[in-house]
Amino acid sequence: MDVSTAISQRCSVRAYKATDVEEDKLRKILEAGRLSPSASNRQDWKFIVVRNKETRKKLAKAAFGQSFIGEAPVVIVACGTEPKAMLACGQPAHTIDVSIAFAYMILQAYELGLGTCWIGAFSEEEAKKALNIPQQIRVVGMTPLGYPDQPPTQKSRKPLNQIVCYEKYE
Ligand SMILES: Cc1cc2nc3c(=O)[nH]c(=O)nc-3n(C[C@H](O)[C@H](O)[C@H](O)COP(=O)(O)O)c2cc1C
């Protein structure tokens, strides 16, 4: 599969089969995160792979009861390890670095036939408690990972002419 196909066909998956995720596929997904770019090549991330059922349920609870998170055989939680680092443009480096890595991982998962759903609605405090994450580390996002148990959904996006302008902001 080429990158454009993955970009155009991937969709968020909110129903998963119980079928386990093979170790070699999981490793390839983690490798996609490892190889992604980061500001100053800081690689200020840690990805927590959760297979334990009880912990997955705790994460679903931390995500305000989005139960499909706990139903997937794997949940990956993406953390920023250097939250004080700022980019010269004023943006925090870790949210950008971790988000790029997570986007790479999500596309890699799609190529391997696996579904994901970026989860941003969660209580960071509860997620940290469930995973023993130290205070200074930030949780940027999480995703369930598993074989989809739903048909692909249709993409709904703004047309390019609403989101692109040329030469100056319009
Ligand atoms: C930063 C971010 C946070 C998101 N949080 C959630 C979430 O908590 N729960 C959820 O079901 N989907 C969540 N999504 C998925 C979006 O709803 C989804 O990507 C969007 O509707 C576009 O659909 P698609 O992924 O199928 O193309 C999130 C996506 C992003 C990028």
Side-chain angles (χ1 to χ4, degrees):
M1 181 184 293
D2 59 25
V3 178
S4 1
T5 307
I7 288 171
S8 61
Q9 291 183 2
R10 179 218 56 86
C11 63
S12 292
V13 173
R14 298 184 178 88
Y16 292 89
K17 293 181 177 154
T19 320
D20 217 347
V21 174
E22 300 86 339
E23 270 304 324
D24 60 326
K25 289 194 176 182
L26 176 62
R27 199 181 161 84
K28 207 165 174 190
I29 292 162
L30 296 169
E31 188 68 4
R34 189 178 79 84
L35 293 175
S36 74
S38 59
S40 304
N41 202 19
R42 196 177 278 113
Q43 305 167 66
D44 46 346
W45 45 50
K46 181 86 96 176
F47 302 101
I48 308 174
V49 178
V50 179
R51 286 194 188 266
N52 181 277
K53 195 174 179 180
E54 284 312 305
T55 316
R56 284 189 277 125
K57 278 192 184 158
K58 283 183 192 170
L59 291 171
K61 195 165 160 276
F64 311 111
Q66 299 187 76
S67 54
F68 63 90
I69 299 168
E71 283 153 20
V74 176
V75 180
I76 303 177
V77 179
C79 303
T81 55
E82 294 179 45
K84 287 190 179 144
M86 297 293 288
L87 302 183
C89 63
Q91 299 289 337
H94 77 280
T95 44
I96 296 175
D97 293 341
V98 173
S99 295
I100 294 170
F102 225 28
Y104 274 38
M105 290 161 78
I106 278 169
L107 286 176
Q108 179 62 78
Y110 184 77
E111 191 208 43
L112 297 169
L114 289 159
T116 55
C117 182
W118 191 307
I119 302 294
F122 60 88
S123 151
E124 185 181 24
E125 200 186 323
E126 266 191 63
K128 279 182 162 184
K129 212 164 131 191
L131 301 171
N132 203 24
I133 298 172
Q135 196 52 41
Q136 73 276 15
I137 304 299
R138 298 300 308 266
V139 185
V140 176
M142 60 178 86
T143 181
L145 176 73
Y147 288 94
D149 196 16
Q150 65 169 60
T153 52
Q154 202 66 35
K155 271 207 194 305
S156 147
R157 295 292 191 267
K158 294 176 183 174
L160 269 185
N161 63 12
Q162 277 183 28
I163 62 164
V164 180
C165 52
Y166 296 91
E167 312 306 341
K168 60 183 170 66
Y169 191 93
E170 280 173 52

